[in-house]
Amino acid sequence: MEIFLDPSVWAGLLTLIVLEIVLGIDNLVFIAILADKLPPKQRDKARIIGLSLALVMRLALLSLMSWLVTLTKPLFHVGSFGFSGRDLIMLAGGIFLLFKATTELHERLENRPETDDGNKSYASFWVVVIQIVVLDAVFSLDAVITAVGMVSHLWIMMTAVVIAMGIMLLASRPLTRFVNAHPTVVVLCLSFLLMIGLSLVAEGFGFHIPKGYLYAAIGFSIIIEFFNQISRRNFIRHQARRPMRERTAEVILRLMGGNRGQHPTDEDARPEVRPAGTEAFKDEERYMITGVLTLASRSIRSLMTPRGEISWVNAESPIDDIRQQLLDTPHSLFPVGRGELDEIIGVVWAKELLVALDHGVDVAQFAAATPAIIVPETLDPINLLGVLRRARGSCVIVSNEFGVVQGLITPLDVLEAIAGEFPDEDETPDIIPDGDGWLVKGGTDLHSLEQLLDVHCLVVQGEDHASLAGRLIDLKGQIPQVGEVITLDDLSFTIAEATDYRIDLVRVTRTRPVDPDEVAA
């Protein structure tokens, strides 16, 4: 019992356990990579069997340590190099590590897709187990030699190996889960194995590489990867705070070629590979899909017909004037106000009001039967769709916090935001091609103009600009004069028509020609 009271024995045992664990870390990493080739149900079994056989192998090697000592004697010479049994094992192990690490790196960097039926091809169970045992045999030699060199009692060596292997067995599953969940860590570990394999080959040829150099390089790389993992986790956490709808919209926009000014991630930077025979989205499809995805980010002000363009009926006007107004205007819906637009009584259909006028019905009384639906200008466009459904084909009046009418929205306005403009008979399109540019009305919606010009500099998140005129006034700081030129990125805006109160018409041109490859990308 005196041996158990010797502090040097316990110190040697503890030190040897720590060293065995340290020497087994790289072994665990490669076991995790090999086990991933098996079906999920067989991975734990492969790790347990592989490490158990490895434990038996290490204990057997410890029992044959007197024979291991003789492995340092040269067996034969090739030129000036003498090769012992230990050197041959080092060479074989190093070549094995170089081969396996290279093939694993090639498989991951090649990024081959899975089979068409979605089934992943798995390796044979015993093939993986044999590879684990062979791999551990390579790493066992250093571990056994370290044990022999540190302590002189066989039972201490075996106890340390058993404890270390037990700890490795417990740590193998969480380590495997972590390694497989982080592809960059797998590549880094395979790079470590390449370095270790190269050092084993060098040892086999008699060139000793201090282990401190290897561990310093590995430690430095682990620190850098640790910072990368922190950065990745913070990025994922930041993305998780954003609405799912917004993230999904950005992904689809990137697939269509519209990055919308967002910083690309690693996934975004990958080139798009289209299957043979498929075509890219057509312009109309791109326009409509983009319109749907950006609808939630727009304001009601960008959808509505502004107050100055609303055709409304004054209930106090003479009957003949009202009848003539209804006949001369192609609109089918009219808000009815008492003296002014802000005093809205209701919304009427032109055809029904004409019939009512022929029967001498009072206009205000007739309009009051169908009261207007009024929504605040801060309403979300997605919630607006539900309001329009309840309106049953009628229109919705947009009002500010002071009760002043700001505009009018119909289902057609939402459709135009998605599919493009549908001008009435008495209207001219908001955007008209003009030579090498476009003539654009000042009230043109910025989202529609962005989609047409395929630019991403007009809409500014958080800003309350719904029209081109509002954006140009914000850039200038005041209402620009006719003839003034405002540039933004590669666009030039020349004020064609304007008053002291508003911008009516703008000519838009590009300051540089568009590369077709950029548009198609």
Side-chain angles (χ1 to χ4, degrees), residues 103-310:
T103 54
E104 292 290 338
L105 273 174
H106 176 75
E107 180 180 336
R108 281 161 174 77
L109 297 180
E110 190 71 16
N111 198 22
R112 295 176 181 174
E114 295 183 1
T115 56
D116 295 337
D117 57 359
N119 296 324
K120 180 180 177 181
S121 58
Y122 294 106
S124 172
F125 176 79
W126 289 107
V127 170
V128 172
V129 171
I130 291 173
Q131 290 187 45
I132 292 176
V133 174
V134 171
L135 174 73
D136 194 78
V138 175
F139 289 103
S140 293
L141 191 59
D142 268 352
V144 170
I145 293 175
T146 300
V148 172
M150 283 209 52
V151 295
S152 56
H153 298 284
L154 179 61
W155 71 269
I156 296 179
M157 302 179 199
M158 291 188 172
T159 302
V161 169
V162 171
I163 295 175
M165 290 297 290
I167 295 175
M168 290 170 60
L169 190 61
L170 293 175
S172 63
R173 184 170 184 177
L175 181 64
T176 300
R177 189 183 301 114
F178 174 81
V179 168
N180 294 331
H182 298 80
T184 56
V185 174
V186 175
V187 175
L188 184 66
C189 293
L190 290 173
S191 302
F192 292 162
L193 292 175
L194 283 176
M195 185 167 55
I196 294 173
L198 182 61
S199 68
L200 290 178
V201 172
E203 289 277 351
F205 280 97
F207 300 100
H208 177 67
I209 299 177
K211 292 292 190 296
Y213 293 164
L214 298 178
Y215 293 147
I218 292 174
F220 179 77
S221 301
I222 290 175
I223 292 175
I224 299 300
E225 180 61 24
F226 174 74
F227 290 143
N228 287 335
Q229 292 297 326
I230 292 178
S231 175
R232 180 175 179 269
R233 177 173 297 182
N234 291 336
F235 174 78
I236 294 175
R237 187 180 304 166
H238 170 72
Q239 292 294 319
R241 295 193 188 103
R242 301 172 59 199
M244 177 64 71
R245 182 176 58 197
E246 180 181 344
R247 286 180 282 160
T248 304
E250 286 188 3
V251 171
I252 298 177
L253 287 172
R254 285 194 293 267
L255 290 175
M256 294 192 304
N259 199 15
R260 303 198 63 81
Q262 298 294 329
H263 296 291
T265 62
D266 294 339
E267 294 291 331
D268 305 330
R270 296 179 181 177
E272 180 183 0
V273 180
R274 296 193 182 102
T278 60
E279 297 181 358
F281 286 98
K282 299 184 183 301
D283 292 339
E284 290 296 330
E285 294 174 325
R286 289 166 55 94
Y287 192 100
M288 287 189 290
I289 295 175
T290 305
V292 171
L293 296 177
T294 59
L295 184 63
S297 63
R298 301 174 67 161
S299 65
I300 285 186
R301 295 177 65 246
S302 68
L303 305 178
M304 69 183 185
T305 300
R307 177 189 178 101
E309 299 179 11
I310 296 178

